[in-house]
Amino acid sequence: TKSDLWYTPEGFNKDLASEIEYLGSQDATSWIKEGPRIRAALPPAPTDGSLVTVLDAGCGPGHTSHNILREFPFVRVKCMDVQAPFLEYANKIFARDFPADRFETLQSQLPTIPLADSSVDFVHARLVLQHIAKINETLKEFSRVLKPGGTLFIMDTDESMGDILLPQVEEVDELLEIHNEERHNENKGHTNLSAHLWFWLEQAGFSRIAYDSMSFHSKEHPSWDIYGPMTSPKVYYSLVRKGLVSKSQVQDAEAKWEEAVKQYPPIMVVHMWTYVAHKGTNSAREEL
C-alpha cells in the first residue's frame, strides 16, 4: 500500500525518462565509493564455474545492478523493485549487455520477496530502507532468502547526519524541512536508521555486523551536472500539489536560490553509511 512507501509507483519526481537519468546520476556518484565496499563484501568467485546469486532489493531502474553485473562476471543478479516501468528499463539494458542467465527482474514490494528460503548468497539494499515502514519484517525477509552465512549489504543515509547544501537560502531550507517532515509523517518511513539498525539486524538473526560511513562532495563527481539542479526549489512543487505550501512560496524560494547561485556555485555534501552483516548465529562483532 502507499503508506508502506515514500517512493510510490505514482511518485516519480518528473517524467520517467528524467527520473531514470536522475537516479543514474545518483548511482554514478555513489558507485565510486560503494563499489569497492561491495567488492570487499562479496563472496569470492566459485571455483566450479557456478554464479554467486545477488538480490538487489529496491533496484529501481537497475543502475547499481548493472554495475554489479559489469564489475563481477561471476555474479547473477535478481533485480527487484515495486515499479514496473523501472523493471522494464532494467530488462532492456541487462539484455543488451549481459547473457540471459545472469539476470532476472522481480516485481514486488518489500517486505515481500518472491524467492525461496536460502536461495541467494548476497542481498544488496541501497537507499531503500529509508522508504520502508516495516523494517523488522524486511530484515527478517532478507535473512530468510539468504543462504546460511550469506551477506547483507545496506547503504543508506540519515537526516541526522547533517547533509550540507550551499549556498544557504533560508526559504529553500524551510521547503526542505517541510518536505522531510511530510515524507516521514505521511508514509511512516524511517529517517534515522543508522543508530538503530545494529539492534534490528541482531533481532533478525544477523551476526558479524560491520558499520562504516562515507561522504560525497558534489565537486568530486562529473554527475553533479545532472544531480545539481535537483537541489533547486523546483523539486518542491510537489508540496504545492499536496497543499502544504503555496506556489508563490516556492517561486519566491526559487528566485532567491537563483540569485544566490550567481554569487556562489551550488555545493552539496552528502553523508551516507553502510552495514555489512551475515546470516548466522555467531555473535562476534566487527566495527570498521
Side-chain angles (χ1 to χ4, degrees):
T1 62
K2 186 175 181 180
S3 63
D4 291 331
L5 293 166
W6 287 348
Y7 199 76
T8 67
E10 304 82 21
F12 297 118
N13 289 330
K14 300 186 290 184
D15 62 275
L16 179 62
S18 297
E19 190 72 9
I20 289 173
E21 182 181 38
Y22 165 57
L23 294 174
S25 73
Q26 281 189 330
D27 180 81
T29 299
S30 67
W31 181 255
I32 295 172
K33 296 181 181 179
E34 181 187 11
R37 288 168 167 80
I38 292 177
R39 181 179 297 276
L42 273 172
T47 57
D48 61 1
S50 61
L51 296 173
V52 171
T53 301
V54 172
L55 169 64
D56 189 5
C59 64
H63 296 300
T64 301
S65 291
H66 191 279
N67 286 338
I68 292 172
L69 287 165
R70 183 190 68 241
E71 295 293 325
F72 309 109
F74 57 89
V75 161
R76 173 196 299 115
V77 172
K78 296 180 182 293
C79 181
M80 191 186 90
D81 202 87
V82 69
Q83 305 193 54
F86 280 167
L87 296 176
E88 291 171 8
Y89 176 84
N91 262 321
K92 289 179 182 178
I93 62 171
F94 296 162
R96 180 193 67 197
D97 296 334
F98 306 109
D101 65 342
R102 292 197 58 212
F103 66 88
E104 177 184 4
T105 56
L106 306 168
Q107 185 175 10
S108 187
Q109 178 177 313
L110 290 169
T112 302
I113 301 175
L115 294 174
D117 295 358
S118 303
S119 58
V120 303
D121 302 287
F122 189 94
V123 173
H124 174 267
R126 173 185 174 273
L127 296 177
V128 63
L129 290 188
Q130 62 175 280
H131 301 294
I132 303 299
K134 299 175 181 177
I135 296 292
N136 291 326
E137 292 90 337
T138 298
L139 294 177
K140 289 176 182 177
E141 189 72 343
F142 288 161
S143 179
R144 181 188 67 79
V145 301
L146 275 169
K147 298 175 184 178
T151 302
L152 171 61
F153 181 97
I154 299 171
M155 179 176 175
D156 224 306
T157 185
D158 284 355
E159 290 178 8
S160 62
M161 296 183 78
D163 293 346
I164 299 169
L165 174 62
L166 297 174
Q168 189 168 10
V169 177
E170 182 178 351
E171 290 78 5
V172 176
D173 291 342
E174 289 175 358
L175 291 177
L176 179 59
E177 184 176 348
I178 294 169
H179 168 73
N180 287 336
E181 183 176 357
E182 180 272 339
R183 189 175 66 169
H184 178 67
N185 291 339
E186 179 180 327
N187 299 285
K188 302 177 183 178
H190 295 267
T191 58
N192 298 304
L193 280 169
S194 61
H196 304 284
L197 199 57
W198 194 308
F199 172 69
W200 292 337
L201 285 167
E202 289 181 327
Q203 282 191 318
F206 289 95
S207 63
R208 292 186 290 136
I209 300 168
Y211 171 83
D212 197 5
S213 60
M214 68 193 86
S215 297
F216 300 88
H217 193 291
S218 57
K219 293 304 181 183
E220 289 181 293
H221 310 291
S223 59
W224 175 247
D225 290 339
I226 301 173
Y227 190 86
M230 296 305 295
T231 63
S232 163
K234 291 179 182 179
V235 302
Y236 300 119
Y237 276 106
S238 62
L239 301 178
V240 177
R241 295 193 294 270
K242 296 176 182 178
L244 297 173
V245 300
S246 67
K247 184 177 180 179
S248 62
Q249 187 175 348
V250 177
Q251 289 174 332
D252 180 55
E254 185 176 355
K256 291 181 178 178
W257 171 263
E258 295 299 332
E259 187 63 30
V261 297
K262 292 178 182 177
Q263 307 298 322
Y264 194 100
I267 297 290
M268 176 177 280
V269 178
V270 177
H271 305 294
M272 304 189 74
W273 50 264
T274 63
Y275 271 97
V276 177
H278 300 83
K279 178 179 178 178
T281 58
N282 189 338
S283 61
R285 297 183 177 186
E286 300 171 357
E287 186 164 357
L288 300 182

